[in-house]
Amino acid sequence: MKLGIVGLPNVGKSTLFNSLTKAGAESANYPFCTIDPNVGVVAVPDERLKLLADLYNSEKITPAVIEFVDIAGLVKGASKGEGLGNQFLSNIREVDAIVHVVRCFEDPNVIHVDGSVDPIRDIETINLELIFSDLEILERRISKVGRAALNDKALAKELALLKEMKAHLEEGKLAKSFVPEDEEMIPFLASLNLLTYKPVIFAANVGEDDLAADGASNPYVAEVRKFAAENGCEVFVICAQIEQEIAELDEDEKKMFLEDLGLKESGLEKLIAASYSLLGLLSYLTAGEKETRAWTITKGMKAPQAAGKIHSDFERGFIRAEVVNYRDLLDCGSYTAAKEKGLVRLEGKEYVVRDGDVILFRFNV
């Protein structure tokens, strides 16, 4: 999974990236300090892995990972070359979802490019730049398909849809709110890789005082939540400054620090939960002496396709899956004991994999 972190300058974007990845991207109180995208790979926290690894005496643990791309700050007019222009846009096109950091705190020491804190204005500023960029993509595509569509019914259908989408964006609407009459054209829309078609998670960046209550009394957070609900987006509340402090601690210190703040989970854990929810993801597990590992798949995926995440041969030669819930396995104390109790199931090609399944695939190529 690849997530792009975007936001106006000085909203806490690079501070958040630094804390999530400990990659040390430069962070300063002025626009454009992050000129090249910074990339960091983060392990998905999953306590199930250590428990299973202890059970199997595994040599190593391999968690699922998320790749974060920190993209240079936007300003009004970026799509026309203002600020860093279109430089950042190509970087966002490659991500699965956009994490949009929105400033929801007042601090006279941290300047705002527009002079005041207004999260909805900030969201709309960035959305407008993304729309302008998408319109350029559509115009080029329409120009390319135009002539060929005269003698090709399939291309003519694509052209009509491209023009409908263009009109939709010109009204200031996001691509993801466009619903084609023909559902079969949805994969074509997804293939256009439009920025405003991507799922969005809003990171409402608050001051420390608002963090424990999850921003409940913060009017800016309320505005962001309302906007997100109306546009099918996820929201999580974070204090980027606190996350940066947490990032310097070891696991035991981190746990104590969170407890002192009245928090159950870190910002990274909130973000991962929001990402998995928005993108419809889950993790199944494999365990053995050599390795205990988490594999990320989409909800609804069947056993052969899940096996293909490990290796294409597993999918091609799939015979069956031996499945046990991780909790049942731990409670029994061993795979053999779980099998004796009838908790290990043999599943075929139509089995839909569930979160927390521990699976042993049988295949023959």
Side-chain angles (χ1 to χ4, degrees):
M1 179 163 56
K2 194 172 184 179
L3 302 177
I5 303 180
V6 302
L8 288 169
N10 299 335
V11 296
K13 180 175 59 64
S14 291
T15 303
L16 175 60
F17 173 81
N18 292 350
S19 64
L20 293 177
T21 63
K22 300 182 185 177
E26 184 187 0
S27 177
N29 183 21
Y30 55 89
F32 314 134
C33 66
T34 313
I35 293 179
D36 294 311
N38 291 274
V39 179
V41 178
V42 179
V44 174
D46 192 337
E47 62 180 11
R48 301 174 298 190
L49 292 174
K50 186 179 185 312
L51 296 171
L52 286 170
D54 289 344
L55 184 68
Y56 281 87
N57 293 315
S58 303
E59 291 174 17
K60 69 173 181 174
I61 295 173
T62 307
V65 296
I66 295 179
E67 187 174 316
F68 288 105
V69 183
D70 176 32
I71 295 156
L74 274 167
V75 291
K76 203 173 288 182
S79 59
K80 302 249 188 294
E82 294 295 326
L84 295 171
N86 281 321
Q87 184 178 326
F88 81 99
L89 296 171
S90 59
N91 298 316
I92 309 179
R93 291 196 189 279
E94 300 165 10
V95 303
D96 299 305
I98 294 171
V99 180
H100 186 159
V101 183
V102 188
R103 180 170 167 176
C104 294
F105 65 90
E106 296 278 2
D107 186 343
N109 297 315
V110 180
I111 58 172
H112 190 291
V113 287
D114 288 326
S116 63
V117 178
D118 185 339
I120 302 305
R121 179 201 58 208
D122 294 354
I123 289 169
E124 289 173 347
T125 294
I126 285 190
N127 282 349
L128 198 56
E129 295 310 316
L130 301 184
I131 286 171
F132 285 146
S133 178
D134 283 348
L135 282 168
E136 284 183 28
I137 295 290
L138 289 173
E139 283 162 6
R140 287 202 294 269
R141 191 71 179 253
I142 287 168
S143 177
K144 184 179 178 183
V145 173
R147 289 186 181 179
L150 294 172
N151 302 308
D152 187 317
K153 285 185 178 179
L155 285 179
K157 195 173 181 180
E158 285 184 11
L159 181 62
L161 192 68
L162 289 169
K163 288 180 176 178
E164 284 179 42
M165 176 65 90
K166 181 172 178 283
H168 181 80
L169 292 178
E170 285 172 340
E171 292 176 5
K173 298 174 183 174
L174 305 181
K176 64 182 175 181
S177 66
F178 177 77
V179 182
E181 289 183 18
D182 184 353
E183 288 187 3
E184 290 183 4
M185 296 303 289
I186 290 176
F188 169 70
L189 285 181
S191 75
L192 296 173
N193 214 15
L194 298 175
L195 298 174
T196 61
Y197 198 74
K198 293 185 183 294
V200 175
I201 303 162
F202 290 111
N205 189 15
V206 302
E208 183 179 341
D209 293 344
D210 285 324
L211 192 58
D214 205 35
S217 59
N218 184 314
Y220 297 135
V221 173
E223 289 176 23
V224 174
R225 283 185 168 135
K226 183 174 182 289
F227 183 92
E230 291 168 353
N231 290 275
C233 306
E234 291 276 339
V235 181
F236 73 104
V237 174
I238 196 165
C239 176
Q241 207 60 50
I242 291 292
E243 288 302 312
Q244 198 162 37
E245 292 177 33
I246 291 173
E248 305 302 321
L249 306 175
D250 63 31
E251 284 305 311
D252 289 338
E253 290 173 328
K254 188 183 294 184
K255 194 172 181 183
M256 287 173 60
F257 188 74
L258 289 171
E259 285 175 0
D260 288 344
L261 291 171
L263 301 173
K264 292 180 180 177
E265 56 188 353
S266 69
L268 174 61
E269 288 165 321
K270 285 184 184 179
L271 174 53
I272 288 169
S275 305
Y276 271 59
S277 171
L278 189 67
L279 296 172
L281 303 175
L282 58 83
S283 292
Y284 77 86
L285 313 162
T286 54
E289 285 185 12
K290 286 189 176 179
E291 180 185 50
T292 290
R293 183 165 182 166
W295 303 86
T296 303
I297 61 170
T298 53
K299 288 177 183 174
M301 188 175 278
K302 293 181 179 178
Q305 290 72 49
K309 289 287 181 180
I310 300 175
H311 197 286
S312 57
D313 285 350
F314 281 35
E315 181 175 359
R316 194 155 50 93
F318 180 87
I319 299 171
R320 67 176 182 271
E322 296 180 14
V323 185
V324 58
N325 176 269
Y326 88 97
R327 176 46 60 195
D328 289 339
L329 178 55
L330 291 171
D331 288 345
C332 290
S334 73
Y335 190 81
T336 303
K339 210 167 187 177
E340 287 171 356
K341 290 188 177 181
L343 296 171
V344 177
R345 311 183 308 278
L346 299 182
E347 301 287 1
K349 291 182 177 181
E350 294 305 307
Y351 177 68
V352 176
V353 176
R354 300 172 192 165
D355 188 64
D357 278 348
V358 181
I359 306 180
L360 175 64
F361 292 107
R362 300 293 184 185
F363 71 103
N364 183 27
V365 178

